[in-house]
Amino acid sequence: MQALRYYQALVRNNFIFSGDFQINEAVAANSGHSTIDNIAAFLQGSCEQVKDAWVSTNTLYAAFVAKYGAGCSKNTFSRLLLQICQSSRINIQKHRHRIITGGNPIYGFLGLKLKEDKNNYGKL
């Protein structure tokens, strides 16, 4: 039980754990919110659907971690975000976008942007 309290304290302090481990059900139940609930709340409160917008997975994940803590890895976050959108019939797609001509493409989401993105940096 003491280990669980220490773990929750680390999560509250935005500690980033190494590895790609699924959250233990007991930890999610004890914290009051599951990771999927937090991602759904983030999607509803911090994102908006915009047809031609694109936002990188890194940008979305950083905003999520700043608000809810690192309760999951970036890969898990991306997978769950897409599943939530598909099950809610929100029309977004995973999309690789080349930011710099000739540079490597970056993973992100087409049709989604952060509400705080006032400058439309995510426009294609």
Side-chain angles (χ1 to χ4, degrees), residues 35-80:
T35 301
I36 201 157
D37 289 339
N38 287 341
I39 294 172
F42 172 76
L43 183 62
Q44 184 176 28
S46 300
C47 301
E48 60 185 312
Q49 191 176 357
V50 178
K51 183 180 178 186
D52 293 328
W54 178 87
V55 62
S56 74
T57 303
N58 288 340
T59 300
L60 284 174
Y61 183 67
F64 172 78
V65 168
K67 191 166 188 171
Y68 295 98
C72 63
S73 71
K74 181 175 63 173
N75 289 340
T76 300
F77 168 81
S78 177
R79 180 177 48 79
L80 291 174

Side-chain angles (χ1 to χ4, degrees), residues 3-13 26-32:
L4 183 59
R5 283 194 296 269
Y6 286 130
Y7 174 82
Q8 289 173 336
L10 289 171
V11 170
R12 277 193 307 276
N13 291 320
V27 172
N30 265 346
S31 69

Side-chain angles (χ1 to χ4, degrees), residues 17-117:
F17 296 92
S18 63
D20 186 18
F21 302 103
Q22 295 287 338
I23 292 183
N24 185 317
E25 293 293 329
V27 172
N30 265 346
S31 69
H33 299 285
S34 70
T35 301
I36 201 157
D37 289 339
N38 287 341
I39 294 172
F42 172 76
L43 183 62
Q44 184 176 28
S46 300
C47 301
E48 60 185 312
Q49 191 176 357
V50 178
K51 183 180 178 186
D52 293 328
W54 178 87
V55 62
S56 74
T57 303
N58 288 340
T59 300
L60 284 174
Y61 183 67
F64 172 78
V65 168
K67 191 166 188 171
Y68 295 98
C72 63
S73 71
K74 181 175 63 173
N75 289 340
T76 300
F77 168 81
S78 177
R79 180 177 48 79
L80 291 174
L81 181 72
L82 188 60
Q83 286 176 0
I84 291 166
C85 289
Q86 288 172 340
S87 67
S88 302
R89 300 200 193 308
I90 296 173
N91 189 22
I92 68 161
Q93 300 171 17
K94 277 190 118 168
H95 179 75
R96 287 174 30 153
H97 181 64
R98 203 174 300 271
I99 303 282
I100 301 169
T101 304
N104 290 331
I106 297 172
Y107 284 99
F109 291 89
L110 184 61
L112 192 66
K113 74 174 208 165
L114 287 172
K115 286 183 179 176
E116 298 85 26
D117 191 0

